[in-house]
């Protein structure tokens, strides 16, 4: 078994259901994901997309959709003008732990550009998600303009 290319683990004071809803709702992702909206019907085999300002940046196929437990999808960067790389895969493992939920984000089958981009992107997105769920306020959008790279600028 090969080692995943990128793994990020955090603990969020929330419920598994609220975390699942935040990860799969366009209205919520737009808030904590710095303007990006995710959309799908979240059925295995269905398409999903990640868009910002009406332009698709990432698209793929839903691979696993086990509500409040696990979500996985392929990750194909399709932003106009972006250098194309191999399709990768991201999964979210959701594990209730008393009053908190352990969230493990695994992103594998990465090309070098995608690895570079998500290595700075996922920590900001997950920190914003954690803040959003715990205190009702996402991280400020000016993180992207204050020297940090755009989350998925591809």
């Amino acid at each position: 078994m090969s080692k995943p290319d990128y793994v990020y683990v955090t603990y969020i004071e929330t419920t598994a259901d609220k975390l699942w809803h935040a990860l799969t709702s366009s209205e919520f992702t737009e808030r904590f994901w710095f303007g990006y909206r995710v959309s799908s019907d979240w059925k295995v085999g269905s398409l999903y997309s990640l868009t910002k300002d009406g332009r698709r940046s990432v698209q793929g196929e839903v691979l696993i959709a086990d509500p409040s437990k696990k979500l996985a999808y392929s990750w194909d960067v399709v932003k106009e003008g972006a250098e194309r790389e191999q399709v990768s895969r991201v999964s979210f493992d959701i594990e209730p732990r008393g009053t908190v939920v352990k969230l493990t984000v695994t992103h594998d089958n990465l090309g070098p550009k995608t690895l570079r981009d998500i290595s700075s992107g996922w920590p900001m997105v997950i920190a914003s998600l954690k803040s959003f769920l715990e205190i009702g306020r996402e991280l400020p959008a000016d993180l992207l303009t204050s020297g940090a790279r755009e989350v998925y600028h591809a």
Side-chain angles (χ1 to χ4, degrees), residues 86-106:
Q86 66 204 38
V87 175
S88 57
R89 183 179 99 135
V90 63
S91 62
F92 303 88
D93 290 290
I94 301 168
E95 301 173 53
R97 299 279 177 100
T99 61
V100 300
V101 176
K102 178 183 178 186
L103 173 63
T104 304
V105 179
T106 305

Side-chain angles (χ1 to χ4, degrees), residues 57-153:
S57 295
V58 178
Q59 67 185 17
E61 178 184 334
V62 177
L63 304 171
I64 300 170
D66 189 359
S68 303
K69 294 180 183 164
K70 185 174 183 111
L71 176 64
Y73 43 76
S74 59
W75 182 273
D76 187 10
V77 176
V78 294
K79 189 171 183 178
E80 188 174 325
E83 178 185 327
R84 294 296 298 263
E85 282 193 328
Q86 66 204 38
V87 175
S88 57
R89 183 179 99 135
V90 63
S91 62
F92 303 88
D93 290 290
I94 301 168
E95 301 173 53
R97 299 279 177 100
T99 61
V100 300
V101 176
K102 178 183 178 186
L103 173 63
T104 304
V105 179
T106 305
H107 201 143
D108 53 23
N109 195 40
L110 295 166
K113 183 178 183 325
T114 304
L115 176 60
R116 183 192 70 222
D117 292 347
I118 62 100
S119 292
S120 62
W122 280 125
M124 284 195 305
V125 169
I126 301 306
S128 188
L129 169 64
K130 179 177 172 61
S131 178
F132 177 72
L133 287 170
E134 290 181 344
I135 65 171
R137 190 173 62 245
E138 64 278 2
L139 295 180
D142 66 357
L143 275 177
L144 299 178
T145 57
S146 63
R149 298 173 59 98
E150 186 166 338
V151 178
Y152 298 106
H153 63 283

